[in-house]
Amino acid sequence: WVSLRDTAVSLAAWSEALAGSTEATLLAPAHGSDTGEAPGQRIATLDAERTAELGARAAAAGVTVNTLVQLAWALVLGSAVGRTDVVFGVTVSGRPAELDGSASMVGLLISTVPVRVRLDRAATVRESAQLLQHEQAALLDHHHLAPSAIEAEVGPGARFDTSLAFESYPLDRTALTAAAGDLSVLGVEARDATHYPLSLAV
């Protein structure tokens, strides 16, 4: 499937999306690749009412909750680094819908690609979110390129040190219980980490 993709077209799409972005977006530029410390973790939970409100606001704007989360992170990141043009990484699926059997392939099959957000103070949140979703939709067919290939084509403007993953893992508790037989599953905890100084998972 990858061998049938037109790499030149994909590189051109990334070049267009990141045109004019010449500076890496680094939240922790002095942070080395290996601090010798285990990654820390902070968990925050939205209650059902806030979650429903977020979904309703996204629907009213005609965008996904994922897009609102990306815009929110861009605002925080822009404030932290003092810029209105920022880039961060997002985790994307490597299971194209048109590839037969991709949903049942064993393996992680994910990548992290850059998201560029230009923060326009004159635009409303709704307008900014709609633009962001439109720009990201145009890149869906080009997610298969490695971040290193994108950076090699675009330059340092494609570099980032924060990542965002918007995850949806439906959990079939009935099937898990049935598979356990006589065992009782009292709880499941998953810990994850990336090589970026700061990663957000929603």
Side-chain angles (χ1 to χ4, degrees):
W1 182 87
V2 172
S3 70
L4 297 175
R5 304 302 97 196
D6 189 329
T7 301
V9 168
S10 292
L11 288 172
W14 283 110
S15 292
E16 182 180 346
L18 293 161
S21 176
T22 58
E23 183 182 353
T25 304
L26 303 177
L27 185 63
H31 190 80
S33 60
D34 182 13
T35 64
E37 297 178 16
Q41 179 173 290
R42 299 288 181 270
I43 298 174
T45 304
L46 289 184
D47 59 29
E49 184 179 343
R50 292 266 176 126
T51 301
E53 183 181 350
L54 187 59
R57 286 180 182 255
V63 300
T64 64
V65 174
N66 179 27
T67 297
L68 284 187
V69 170
Q70 288 183 4
L71 181 59
W73 176 239
L75 288 165
V76 172
L77 185 59
S79 176
V81 299
R83 289 177 29 202
T84 57
D85 190 348
V86 295
V87 175
F88 56 91
V90 294
T91 304
V92 295
S93 171
R95 299 176 188 272
E98 67 271 22
L99 179 58
D100 287 341
S102 68
S104 60
M105 286 180 181
V106 176
L108 200 54
L109 300 180
I110 60 173
S111 185
T112 303
V113 296
V115 168
R116 185 216 197 152
V117 182
R118 285 159 285 198
L119 301 166
D120 181 357
R121 297 185 191 282
T124 65
V125 169
R126 180 189 190 107
E127 291 167 341
S128 297
Q130 289 172 341
L131 176 61
L132 175 58
Q133 183 157 298
H134 174 74
E135 290 174 343
Q136 291 309 299
L139 292 169
L140 286 173
D141 290 338
H142 311 292
H143 283 176
H144 63 281
L145 283 187
S148 57
I150 297 169
E151 186 178 332
E153 179 72 14
V154 173
R159 192 176 315 136
F160 50 85
D161 71 351
T162 64
S163 70
L164 172 62
F166 192 89
E167 302 172 343
S168 177
Y169 293 138
L171 187 61
D172 187 342
R173 296 185 185 279
T174 304
L176 279 176
T177 303
D182 293 335
L183 298 176
S184 295
V185 179
L186 301 178
V188 177
E189 180 181 329
R191 298 238 10 188
D192 199 0
T194 72
H195 64 280
Y196 300 106
L198 179 63
S199 297
L200 296 91
V202 178

